[in-house]
Amino acid sequence: MNRRKEMMQDFDDDIREHIARETQDNIDRGMSPEEARFAAVRKFGNVTQVKEDTRGVWTTLWLEQLVQDIRNGLRMLRKSPGFAAVAILTLALGIGANTAIFSIVNSVVLQPLPYSNANQLVVVSQTSSRVPLSSSIQSSESYVNILDYQRDAKSFSAVAGYASNQMTLTGHGAPTIVYGAITSSGLFTTLGTPPLLGRTLESQDDVKGAGLVVVIGEGFWRDQLGADPNIIGKSIQLDSEPFTVVGVMPADFRYPDQSPPSEFWIPAMQSPDYASIIGIRKGRFLSFIGRLKSGVTDAQAEAELNSLYKGMLKQYGNLLDPTEVLHVSNLKRLVVGDAQPVLLILLGAVGLVVLIACANIANLLLARATGRAKEIAVRVALGAGRARIFRQLLTESVLLGICAGIAGLLLAYGGVASIKSFAAADLPHLRDISVDGWVLAFTFALSIFAGVLFGLAPAWQSSEIDLNEVLRENGRGSTGSARRRWTRNALVVVEVALAMILLIGSGLLLKSFYLLTHSSPGFDPLNVLVATVELPKAQYSMPEQWNAFFRQAVGRMKNLPGVEDAAAALPVPFTGSAFGYGFSVVGAPPLPPGQSPIAQAHDITPDYFRVMHMALLRGREFEEADTAPNAPAIVIIDQELARRYFAHQDPIGQSLQISGLRMPYNARIVGVVGDVKDQTMADAPTPMMYFPYTQEKWWVMVFVLRTRGNPSSLASALQAQIHDMDSSLPVQDVRPMTSFVSDSEGDARFRSILLGLFGILALVLASVGIYSVLAYVVAQRTHEIGIRMALGAQPRDVLRLVIGQGMRAVLIGTAIGIAAALAVSRLLAQFLYGVRDKDPLTFIAVVVLLMLVALAACYIPARRAMRIDPMVALRYE
Amino acid sequence: MSTKEQNDRVELLQGTLDMLILRTLLLGPAHGHAIAKAIEFNSDEVLQVEQGSLYPALHRLIRRGWISVEKGTSENNRRAKFYKLTPLGRRQLAVETGKWQKLSGAIAQILRPARQEGEP
């Protein structure tokens, strides 16, 4: 464009000059000046037209040149389809993987919350020196406290308390369980999502004695109620109570974000399940979120809540924990928190793959550039500007990049689909992940960037060609200039180093995944069927009914054909729920008030340990006699609790004081069982207590059946037994224990498989890189090797020569890679299980593997070099 | 383009004009007007350059990198632009001339009267 300006400058002067000269010629021929001028102007023609035509010559310059460059580039690619295919495929793999990972990062890290001004949303949590921090024991707030904060806290524009809840929907086909939440009315104001139909919950709904109302999710409305447009005002049966539907929320509103998704919200005050504890200070079972007023920081809100809490302590002292501290944390950070490091590591890994791919292609291009040196030299000699050549070569690279980008995008679609089916449900909003416009833009930016990146070195070198050198060499650029050789070796070094980092990373993860899946959870999950039954409070209001039901149900299960033994418990490991009770050792020196430790509690039927194949280390298991109505309170502890609190004495016969939701009571220890992993295979042992189910009464239990064959085949028999007892009872989550266990490994599996894939990719790419460089070098040195052999060099000398050259770069790369991996592997430390991040075995294994692959990559060209016939090589001039 | 004086002047095809300009510049750098004059003169005034079409042609050649521009002063001390051949243009001229000669040779071959028998 600026060229046009430059060329059209002074153009009027040129024309004036031209006409003046023509006029002068005409005068010389004897015309009168006037006539002469007229004739000259006429001869010249329409000045404006000429100017227009001339300017038009420059108008589409850059576009035409671009088209020309692209045509040239395509022709070059067509002329060497092998090169093009390798280059495009290599880069497409890199870009595809990168786009897939970026899609996930984009949905999970960059845009995780579908609420307006999501940055103002905060979660309030509590810590107390009484409660050792443990992921499985969630800190929670009582309903009355939240109402007090809602009234007094100035930092928040809205706050809400909610708890996950499930209810049974009847009257619409078979009884189905629906998942949702009980919530204070503030939830909708806090999140600020308008309803699809009707209204959201309001404060007048959330008082004792108000009518039963429910807001439902779009999914519920469509799937269960046929998307009835007149649903507002109709009533539906939830847990056999009539709830009036007042609103429908759009599908993207699904707070709390759980699996299965939340599909109903009822006022906390109307919840039959929690009616007994909703109004008390100690009934702490609600999660607490809020929206900060704009301009208020997390820290300010935190300070205010803590000072309000000090006030509450004065008022309700003995009902509250004096050591409690409230924390305000950004919801987005919390949601993203767990997933972020994994994703960033994957993004880094995939970035390395792209870099290796680029290095590879740079190498390929460099080798080609040497081959094309003559062509370029000729063009330079004929006056083609350096910039022009540079631009043409760059166009070729960018073209490659774009082709690869398109191919990569297709790969990414496949990748995202398979990652979705792979990753555990812990990745928030995984179901929203798609390759969207942003990702598309990212891919193309990446492919252009990659194109420029790997186009730069060769283009620069080519456009800097030393004419004399090339022409003197008769166009057969021997081994290229020293600098070019150096560049090629450097690229091999870089590739090897990058591959090393990736391989060590994936090696460590694979090893820890192996250890994880081959460690024992402390029970035998094979051939165990799991099923959950919850008794609706309406028909089963008395604890005696619950105990009777579960006793009878377990008895029926034991007699099923194909069942070895059966039991029931709450909770069962790996099924996702856990709760803890405070306890203290009776007779031990009293701890300061509020310092009592917490252990996880399990309420079980007598044969539970036998069914689960758990080790009874000392004492005895529970027996039927322990479940009699007035049996003394007893407890069985796990090895970890014994280790921590009974280090120097026999726990059997000692007593623990248990403080749950009820009044504290003493329970005598009758046995010690082995530790079990509770939620994931990576869990460290935690103190646990087991109680007879009749002692801590529950209306919900999880059945565990030890089967003789495939546990899934007994699912329908189990359901039939339950329905035989009460046909209105839904049976939930009927699955083999192994599927719960492998779900818990999902994340680890996902990480190791992906990183393993990247590692393999890196290995393949790096070996292709080493091979192609060496193959090229051998081709270049054919003549020289021929001379050596003619002068008596043996094939093995040639072998040593070629392999030596390749392996030197590989060794340097390996050394750099090890150093880098030592630094980088620390990032993986938190995902490793049973492996240190500097695990020497992994390092050695990776080095050996890489060396073998590199040797193989060197050996093929070296073999070719050995077979060189000196006569042919010398004639080849 | 106009034809003049009983068609004894030939219209110039674009490609031909380009080649003639290159040919002219083979002798040395020249001013636009001088190029037009030279083409007319060298072709015994058979080829009449529509002078207006000369400039787009010159610019086209500059764009292709076959000629370049130099600013200088003309014999009467006025600023003027001189056009000169680049190495690339020299090569192009060789190619074009070759083509031209092949073509005119072929035409001559066709138009040549058939040889009489016995003639050498």
Side-chain angles (χ1 to χ4, degrees):
Chain A
M1 297 315 286
N2 46 5
R3 188 84 201 277
R4 166 176 163 190
K5 222 183 247 137
E6 174 196 336
M7 292 307 300
M8 292 309 290
Q9 217 177 19
D10 317 328
F11 192 56
D12 288 340
D13 292 355
D14 293 351
I15 295 174
R16 220 170 296 128
E17 174 72 4
H18 189 111
I19 290 174
R21 286 175 181 229
E22 183 69 25
T23 309
Q24 193 55 51
D25 282 0
N26 290 344
I27 291 174
D28 293 350
R29 285 194 202 138
M31 292 186 191
S32 72
E34 206 161 320
E35 209 181 338
R37 177 154 182 82
F38 183 70
V41 169
R42 198 185 49 195
K43 189 168 178 186
F44 191 86
N46 179 340
V47 174
T48 322
Q49 184 68 46
V50 169
K51 268 167 72 174
E52 210 41 58
D53 289 350
T54 309
R55 189 175 292 119
V57 168
W58 294 104
T59 301
T60 54
L61 171 65
W62 62 276
L63 195 66
E64 271 176 45
Q65 284 193 337
L66 186 66
V67 169
Q68 201 182 13
D69 282 346
I70 288 177
R71 245 207 233 107
N72 269 339
L74 288 174
R75 198 164 46 231
M76 288 309 301
L77 294 184
R78 253 208 314 277
K79 272 207 310 214
S80 40
F83 161 81
V86 169
I88 288 174
L89 197 67
T90 303
L91 199 58
L93 279 173
I95 289 174
N98 213 333
T99 307
I101 298 292
F102 186 82
S103 305
I104 292 176
V105 171
N106 185 30
S107 330
V108 176
V109 180
L110 304 179
Q111 313 165 349
L113 297 172
Y115 310 112
S116 59
N117 298 329
N119 277 331
Q120 296 173 337
L121 296 174
V122 292
V123 171
V124 182
S125 58
Q126 302 81 4
T127 50
S128 131
S129 46
R130 272 167 62 173
V131 184
L133 267 183
S134 154
S135 61
S136 51
I137 299 166
Q138 289 178 337
S139 60
S140 27
E141 194 50 271
S142 68
Y143 182 75
V144 256
N145 282 0
I146 292 178
L147 288 188
D148 285 0
Y149 290 129
Q150 182 171 319
R151 190 189 58 220
D152 300 331
K154 303 272 180 292
S155 319
F156 295 85
S157 57
V159 300
Y162 63 90
S164 294
N165 189 230
Q166 55 194 58
M167 296 177 102
T168 310
L169 172 74
T170 45
H172 295 269
T176 25
I177 297 280
V178 284
Y179 297 85
I182 66 155
T183 173
S184 68
S185 57
L187 185 70
F188 299 92
T189 347
T190 304
L191 296 172
T193 308
L196 192 68
L197 299 172
R199 63 173 178 89
T200 57
L201 298 179
E202 286 158 12
S203 47
Q204 74 267 14
D205 299 319
D206 200 16
V207 287
K208 269 213 160 54
L212 296 180
V213 295
V214 62
V215 170
I216 59 174
E218 193 180 347
F220 184 163
W221 176 56
R222 287 190 191 289
D223 302 345
Q224 315 290 348
L225 309 172
D228 176 2
N230 306 315
I231 191 70
I232 305 299
K234 290 194 179 162
S235 113
I236 54 175
Q237 292 284 321
L238 293 171
D239 281 0
S240 316
E241 300 268 5
F243 279 84
T244 307
V245 178
V246 294
V248 178
M249 293 306 284
D252 67 354
F253 180 89
R254 41 163 183 261
Y255 205 87
D257 196 2
Q258 54 189 15
S259 177
S262 303
E263 291 288 13
F264 73 82
W265 296 268
I266 58 172
M269 275 298 188
Q270 319 299 354
S271 161
D273 289 348
Y274 295 101
S276 56
I277 49 174
I278 192 82
I280 55 176
R281 293 269 158 205
K282 287 186 90 171
R284 311 193 61 146
F285 62 98
L286 293 166
S287 304
F288 181 5
I289 69 165
R291 181 182 283 278
L292 297 178
K293 286 182 179 152
S294 61
V296 178
T297 65
D298 297 359
Q300 287 166 331
E302 194 170 292
E304 187 189 20
L305 288 181
N306 279 306
S307 75
L308 288 173
Y309 187 72
K310 293 270 184 307
M312 288 186 197
L313 271 176
K314 286 198 185 76
Q315 220 170 331
Y316 315 105
N318 56 346
L319 297 173
L320 298 172
D321 174 355
T323 66
E324 183 175 303
V325 180
L326 289 97
H327 305 275
V328 170
S329 30
N330 182 292
L331 175 66
K332 181 171 164 180
R333 261 203 301 282
L334 225 58
V335 165
V336 170
D338 289 346
Q340 193 161 4
V342 179
L343 290 172
L344 292 182
I345 280 175
L346 287 177
L347 201 60
V350 91
L352 290 183
V353 172
V354 172
L355 279 179
I356 294 178
C358 286
N360 238 343
I361 291 173
N363 242 330
L364 283 170
L365 282 169
L366 211 53
R368 272 178 87 229
T370 316
R372 290 173 67 186
K374 192 172 180 199
E375 171 206 339
I376 289 162
V378 167
R379 294 178 59 189
V380 171
L382 290 170
R386 195 142 120 211
R388 186 84 179 75
I389 288 187
F390 191 69
R391 201 170 60 186
Q392 195 206 315
L393 290 171
L394 213 50
T395 308
E396 276 176 35
S397 306
V398 172
L399 260 182
L400 270 182
I402 290 176
C403 291
I406 293 167
L409 197 62
L410 296 178
L411 286 173
Y413 270 108
V416 168
S418 49
I419 285 172
K420 263 191 192 174
S421 60
F422 240 130
D426 306 32
L427 277 180
H429 303 282
L430 197 65
R431 50 194 175 278
D432 300 346
I433 289 175
S434 60
V435 179
D436 67 359
W438 280 109
V439 178
L440 203 70
F442 175 81
T443 310
F444 275 92
L446 190 74
S447 45
I448 303 279
F449 172 74
V452 171
L453 189 72
F454 62 68
L456 223 56
W460 188 246
Q461 286 207 317
S462 302
S463 63
E464 270 204 329
I465 279 177
D466 175 357
L467 279 183
N468 295 331
E469 183 198 331
V470 176
L471 296 175
R472 198 179 49 236
E473 278 176 358
N474 211 0
R476 199 167 47 77
S478 67
T479 42
S481 64
R483 196 182 39 174
R484 199 163 315 145
R485 198 164 46 231
W486 183 88
T487 312
R488 260 200 305 275
N489 282 332
L491 283 171
V492 171
V493 168
V494 167
E495 274 189 58
V496 170
L498 294 174
M500 189 86 206
I501 297 171
L502 260 180
L503 283 169
I504 284 177
S506 50
L508 288 170
L509 281 181
L510 286 170
K511 184 170 173 184
S512 65
F513 183 64
Y514 177 86
L515 292 173
L516 198 63
T517 47
H518 288 74
S519 65
S520 162
F523 61 92
D524 176 13
L526 277 180
N527 296 336
V528 173
L529 183 66
V530 178
T532 306
V533 170
E534 181 178 357
L535 302 172
K537 287 277 192 40
Q539 295 91 318
Y540 299 83
S541 52
M542 305 301 294
E544 293 67 39
Q545 289 174 288
W546 308 338
N547 292 344
F549 179 90
F550 289 115
R551 176 175 295 123
Q552 193 197 341
V554 169
R556 279 166 167 258
M557 309 260 169
K558 281 179 193 278
N559 295 329
L560 278 175
V563 173
E564 249 175 52
D565 206 345
L570 185 77
V572 165
F574 289 91
T575 53
S577 59
F579 47 86
Y581 290 162
F583 71 94
S584 55
V585 179
V586 176
L591 290 163
Q595 292 269 316
S596 69
I598 283 205
Q600 289 194 31
H602 292 262
D603 302 309
I604 60 175
T605 63
D607 298 320
Y608 177 74
F609 298 128
R610 213 172 55 220
V611 172
M612 296 290 277
H613 291 185
M614 284 167 62
L616 178 71
L617 303 174
R618 339 199 23 171
R620 64 175 183 88
E621 296 185 38
F622 295 133
E623 288 146 15
E624 276 307 320
D626 297 320
T627 64
N630 40 21
I634 51 173
V635 61
I636 291 176
I637 60 173
D638 73 350
Q639 203 179 353
E640 182 63 17
L641 197 150
R643 196 183 60 76
R644 286 196 204 179
Y645 301 96
F646 297 98
H648 309 296
Q649 52 175 324
D650 184 357
I652 305 293
Q654 302 287 332
S655 287
L656 297 180
Q657 188 186 57
I658 313 290
S659 44
L661 280 173
R662 304 187 286 136
M663 290 299 295
Y665 67 94
N666 288 359
R668 198 166 46 84
I669 299 172
V670 298
V672 178
V673 291
D675 295 328
V676 294
K677 306 263 169 76
D678 188 62
Q679 299 298 332
T680 72
M681 292 295 264
D683 282 359
T686 49
M688 290 193 192
M689 305 183 287
Y690 297 86
F691 302 101
Y693 71 111
T694 45
Q695 192 172 308
E696 293 286 331
K697 305 163 183 66
W698 285 101
W699 61 92
V700 50
M701 294 285 276
V702 182
F703 293 97
V704 284
L705 277 62
R706 170 71 53 185
T707 60
R708 290 202 180 82
N710 176 6
S712 304
S713 61
L714 283 153
S716 51
L718 182 153
Q719 279 167 306
Q721 289 298 324
I722 298 290
H723 284 161
D724 195 31
M725 293 171 68
D726 181 345
S727 61
S728 73
L729 282 183
V731 184
Q732 306 156 47
D733 266 349
V734 188
R735 281 160 64 192
M737 189 76 207
T738 44
S739 89
F740 285 104
V741 173
S742 66
D743 273 3
S744 80
E745 293 161 355
D747 263 3
R749 176 178 297 122
F750 169 70
R751 281 198 297 268
S752 3
I753 286 184
L754 268 188
L755 217 57
L757 268 178
F758 295 156
I760 290 166
L761 212 57
L763 190 63
V764 169
L765 290 176
S767 55
V768 167
I770 297 166
Y771 167 82
S772 63
V773 168
L774 273 188
Y776 172 79
V777 168
V778 168
Q780 290 289 314
R781 293 174 77 179
T782 302
H783 184 67
E784 175 210 345
I785 291 171
I787 293 176
R788 284 170 186 263
M789 288 174 88
L791 293 175
Q794 293 301 306
R796 70 163 182 279
D797 301 329
V798 173
L799 194 69
R800 198 175 313 127
L801 177 84
V802 176
I803 289 187
Q805 184 177 0
M807 289 309 277
R808 201 169 324 133
V810 171
L811 283 172
I812 296 171
T814 306
I816 295 173
I818 290 174
L822 282 172
V824 172
S825 64
R826 241 180 327 173
L827 299 174
L828 289 176
Q830 58 169 314
F831 305 114
L832 298 179
Y833 170 84
V835 187
R836 285 185 319 118
D837 58 338
K838 308 209 178 337
D839 179 47
L841 254 175
T842 308
F843 273 71
I844 291 166
V846 167
V847 170
V848 169
L849 175 73
L850 198 63
M851 286 293 155
L852 286 176
V853 171
L855 265 176
C858 293
Y859 182 69
I860 301 166
R863 273 287 297 269
R864 198 175 307 143
M866 277 162 54
R867 294 221 192 86
I868 289 173
D869 179 349
M871 290 322 293
V872 176
L874 295 181
R875 258 206 310 274
Y876 172 67
E877 264 295 73
Chain B
M1 297 227 163
S2 66
T3 52
K4 310 174 56 172
E5 299 179 34
Q6 307 121 27
N7 284 344
D8 60 350
R9 293 180 184 262
V10 182
E11 276 192 37
L12 277 178
L13 292 170
Q14 195 183 346
T16 323
L17 177 59
D18 291 356
M19 202 176 80
L20 286 173
I21 293 172
L22 294 178
R23 275 276 312 276
T24 310
L25 291 178
L26 202 53
L27 308 172
H31 187 271
H33 181 256
I35 296 171
K37 272 274 170 284
I39 291 175
E40 286 172 18
F41 178 76
N42 287 336
S43 59
D44 301 330
E45 310 258 334
V46 172
L47 298 175
Q48 170 74 40
V49 182
E50 175 82 56
Q51 296 189 333
S53 64
L54 178 73
Y55 284 90
L58 283 171
H59 281 243
R60 215 166 32 238
L61 295 175
I62 295 168
R63 262 197 52 181
R64 291 187 187 147
W66 296 346
I67 64 177
S68 59
V69 183
E70 235 173 59
K71 291 204 169 126
T73 46
S74 61
E75 47 282 10
N76 48 16
N77 260 338
R78 277 191 303 215
R79 273 185 312 138
K81 279 186 187 156
F82 288 93
Y83 299 91
K84 61 184 237 208
L85 209 52
T86 63
L88 209 57
R90 227 175 271 280
R91 171 166 166 253
Q92 185 58 29
L93 185 58
V95 171
E96 289 291 336
T97 313
K99 263 201 259 178
W100 179 252
Q101 277 165 350
K102 257 200 210 119
L103 184 65
S104 49
I107 292 171
Q109 194 81 28
I110 294 162
L111 295 180
R112 206 171 53 186
R115 283 193 202 141
Q116 303 293 316
E117 280 194 41
E119 275 190 24

